Amino acid sequence: MIDSTPEWAALIASAEEPPDLRTLFGADPERADRFTLDVDGLTVDLSKNLIEKAVVEQLVALARIADVESRRTAMVGGAHINSTEDRAVLHTALRGQPDDGLVVDGQDISSDVAAVLAHMRDFATRVRSGDWVGHTGARIRHVVNIGIGGSDLGPYMAYRALEAFRHDDIEVSFVSNVDGAHLHQALSGATPDETLFIVASKTFTTLETLTNARSARAWLVDALGAEEAVAKHFVALSTNEEGVAAFGIDTANMFGFWDWVGGRYSVDSAIGLSLMIAIGADGFDELLAGFRSMDDHFVSAPLSANAPVLLALIGIWYRNMLAWPTHAVLPYCQLLDRFPAYLQQLDMESNGKQVRLDGSPVTYETGPIVWGEPGTNGQHAFYQLIHQGTTPVPVDFIAFAHPDFTEPDHHDALMANCFAQAEALAFGKTEGEVRSEGVPDALVAHKVFPGNRPSTTIFAERLTPFVLGQLIALYEHKVFVQGAIWGVNSFDQWGVELGKVLATTILAELDDPALPTNHDSSTTALIERYRNFRKP
Ligand code: F6P
């Protein structure tokens, strides 16, 4: 077990007196350079983390003893590292090259990936050019992606992030919640004969997605007065051909992927079709190239100079040795407003686990609570706690030099705030400094900033499809490394099942005239109250 190794113990001992950023920066004028990595133009400045050479060495030793490198080799080679589902984990193959010739379980998956990409490219290009028309001959101007979790968060986040690269005349809406308000919002004002629905579901059994898809189909058929309209207005993204056919979507208009693509790792699979329609096939290729750039770095850079590995190890240092439970992601970029939500699924569904691969309970903390909002908004809301709260919150700041939609003075203000927050967190303000400003005695304690609060700044020239691909892969691999060290399966999600089963039971009971007897008193009372409220 990882927590009974000498490497773990050494880190626990180091954590008794964590490094101090004021001292470290004071002692080493080269610190920023020493702890900054560049991956094909993506800068990762780790210098404001509570690390120094010895701690990094200890962390790298921990990665070695946890066999991170062989697990990485196993993943990219197609071993069934998702052991509870007996599946390979090959999202890296989604951005491979057709001539990679990766054969897994007897299947040439490089060719499979290339074939689906070609199908997507052809379809997206036809929709964008107006060659693909709806039932009445009208061109498509509105695409509605219906999906949830990994079948929504990735394309939605990326669609928003890449606003500057979108097609001018095609709008994409994303409907995920089974709350009818969500579909209503997407369809109000929509023109049925110009609307294309993309039903995105790996399993094609997800209650929310199928409920929304059925309502969308009814809306369309009702408006266009013909069942046949479905063929021109519905396509599917799925691994479940039978389910797609049973729903009534022509499987010629199905874009497939495979069980070795986890939902939360699927934005660069067929699940990205809505994004490809928005940014074009070439833009999507650029996104894939960005993923590939980070993949290449991840598999080839030494552990001590490997951006995702170091982010992961620093996260372990904070989570397990310093016992800090949360991690904030704060993009100084409005266009990345859904990036924290995307990372919540990526990280928390992957590493929110309580047992190891062999089923034995973990004896240490695993995945942190991931949260965040774009800056500067957060500064006027929750940053108070980050600066002066009782539990430090490690932060990732994400920023870009060139804005897409702003006047230069806006952007300078945005960036100044980003840099200032990282500086304030790291160095704080001492009692002496507060007093020297003439602050009255009674207020001094209130105005002290403890400092030594860690952050990483991830910085690039511009938020392009390439950079977004790099950024996503950076976090994918970070999550992988942490899962490898904790010895958990980062690729299953059994914890979401119980609620789904209970919801199915309760759904049937809501209409049943008899009051259910199989629940606790609170659940039964809630069901009863609901029924009473719903009485005409
Ligand atoms: O319930 C969780 C989950 O299975 C996620 O892992 C997944 O991304 C999401 O639901 C959607 O699943 P599907 O794509 O099969 O509809």
Side-chain angles (χ1 to χ4, degrees):
M1 277 172 286
I2 194 68
D3 59 340
S4 38
T5 59
E7 288 75 8
W8 185 279
L11 283 158
I12 296 281
S14 297
E16 277 170 27
E17 247 183 84
D20 174 67
L21 289 173
R22 278 188 179 234
T23 313
L24 292 173
F25 273 93
D28 179 7
E30 309 293 317
R31 182 174 167 83
D33 275 355
R34 218 181 289 292
F35 287 98
T36 297
L37 298 170
D38 181 280
V39 184
D40 290 343
L42 187 77
T43 297
V44 182
D45 176 358
L46 300 167
S47 65
K48 294 198 189 79
N49 283 288
L50 309 195
I51 50 169
E52 31 80 27
K53 195 164 169 271
V55 168
V56 172
E57 282 167 5
Q58 289 174 334
L59 287 166
V60 168
L62 186 74
R64 291 235 159 78
I65 198 76
D67 245 349
V68 166
E69 284 158 299
S70 30
R71 200 159 165 79
R72 178 183 64 191
T73 306
M75 175 174 73
V76 299
H80 284 210
I81 64 165
N82 176 357
S83 49
T84 60
E85 297 179 304
D86 192 17
R87 288 175 183 171
V89 173
L90 274 170
H91 41 276
T92 46
L94 296 169
R95 51 263 194 168
Q97 303 282 19
D99 56 8
D100 283 350
L102 185 60
V103 177
V104 173
D105 302 332
Q107 187 64 26
D108 179 349
I109 64 168
S110 303
S111 309
D112 291 350
V113 168
V116 172
L117 273 172
H119 188 195
M120 290 167 67
R121 174 182 278 273
D122 174 62
F123 182 75
T125 307
R126 289 184 65 194
V127 172
R128 285 168 64 84
S129 68
D131 180 43
W132 178 279
V133 292
H135 180 66
T136 63
R139 67 177 291 174
I140 301 299
R141 295 187 193 280
H142 185 202
V143 174
V144 182
N145 185 85
I146 299 179
I148 197 164
S151 300
D152 166 75
L153 287 162
Y156 185 32
M157 173 277 289
Y159 176 76
R160 295 180 71 79
L162 299 176
E163 184 173 342
F165 299 83
R166 289 186 210 153
H167 192 289
D168 287 340
D169 292 327
I170 300 177
E171 193 200 340
V172 185
S173 307
F174 292 82
V175 175
S176 51
N177 201 332
V178 74
D179 183 338
H182 208 181
L183 186 66
H184 167 79
Q185 285 168 345
L187 297 187
S188 53
T191 313
D193 58 351
E194 295 179 345
T195 300
L196 172 76
F197 293 96
I198 298 180
V199 186
S201 174
K202 178 176 171 180
T203 55
F204 230 77
T205 57
T206 303
L207 170 90
E208 292 90 334
T209 300
L210 292 189
T211 306
N212 278 320
R214 277 191 291 267
S215 300
R217 186 173 61 182
W219 174 85
L220 183 94
V221 171
D222 187 42
L224 299 186
E227 264 304 320
E228 311 85 79
V230 171
K232 286 292 191 178
H233 293 266
F234 274 79
V235 300
L237 320 176
S238 188
T239 59
N240 177 0
E241 203 167 328
E242 251 175 54
V244 169
F247 181 86
I249 295 177
D250 183 352
T251 50
N253 296 328
M254 167 179 161
F255 300 81
F257 54 113
W258 308 271
D259 68 359
W260 43 261
V261 183
R264 52 194 175 273
Y265 298 88
S266 67
V267 59
D268 48 343
S269 72
I271 289 295
L273 183 66
S274 56
L275 179 66
M276 191 193 268
I277 292 172
I279 65 169
D282 292 349
F284 201 81
D285 279 348
E286 246 199 76
L287 178 86
L288 295 180
F291 273 99
R292 206 158 46 238
S293 135
M294 190 56 71
D295 294 348
D296 290 347
H297 168 80
F298 176 54
V299 298
S300 63
L303 297 184
S304 57
N306 191 309
V309 171
L310 289 175
L311 281 184
L313 291 172
I314 293 168
I316 298 256
W317 168 239
Y318 296 149
R319 182 77 177 113
N320 297 111
M321 284 82 207
L322 293 163
W324 296 337
T326 87
H327 183 93
V329 179
L330 309 173
Y332 274 65
C333 173
Q334 188 60 32
L335 299 179
L336 280 181
D337 62 347
R338 292 298 288 169
F339 196 60
Y342 172 77
L343 290 186
Q344 281 177 329
Q345 187 197 15
L346 178 65
D347 199 319
M348 295 165 82
E349 206 174 62
S350 295
N351 287 338
K353 305 286 162 68
Q354 59 183 357
V355 296
R356 296 188 187 88
L357 286 160
D358 65 4
S360 61
V362 295
T363 43
Y364 38 80
E365 300 293 345
T366 59
I369 297 157
V370 176
W371 59 286
E373 275 287 320
T376 60
N377 290 14
Q379 291 176 208
H380 302 274
F382 53 77
Y383 276 41
Q384 165 64 40
L385 183 147
I386 300 184
H387 284 288
Q388 289 186 318
T390 49
T391 303
V393 178
V395 169
D396 290 349
F397 292 107
I398 303 174
F400 304 94
H402 294 294
D404 287 316
F405 296 104
T406 184
E407 296 301 315
D409 55 341
H410 284 230
H411 202 64
D412 287 351
L414 180 71
M415 297 306 293
N417 272 280
C418 178
F419 301 150
Q421 290 299 328
E423 189 174 30
L425 285 169
F427 304 109
K429 198 189 246 189
T430 63
E431 187 183 328
E433 286 166 344
V434 175
R435 286 194 189 282
S436 71
E437 289 172 358
V439 170
D441 278 358
L443 281 183
V444 169
H446 297 274
K447 294 202 162 196
V448 167
F449 286 70
N452 216 29
R453 303 217 157 184
S455 68
T456 297
T457 301
I458 300 172
F459 197 26
E461 259 188 73
R462 191 173 172 208
L463 180 55
T464 60
F466 183 89
V467 168
L468 185 65
Q470 286 183 301
L471 205 50
I472 299 171
L474 174 70
Y475 282 97
E476 285 180 347
H477 299 320
K478 171 195 168 181
V479 165
F480 168 83
V481 172
Q482 292 191 330
I485 290 174
W486 287 320
V488 299
N489 184 352
S490 303
F491 303 103
D492 61 12
Q493 58 282 323
W494 300 106
V496 303
E497 295 304 325
L498 178 60
K500 288 185 190 173
V501 172
L502 293 179
T504 309
T505 309
I506 293 175
L507 182 58
E509 291 163 353
L510 294 179
D511 267 348
D512 189 333
L515 207 55
T517 55
N518 49 335
H519 299 289
D520 60 277
S521 58
S522 162
T523 308
T524 309
L526 287 168
I527 292 172
E528 189 176 13
R529 189 153 300 159
Y530 174 74
R531 289 165 161 197
N532 288 339
F533 279 145
R534 296 276 292 175
K535 275 188 187 146

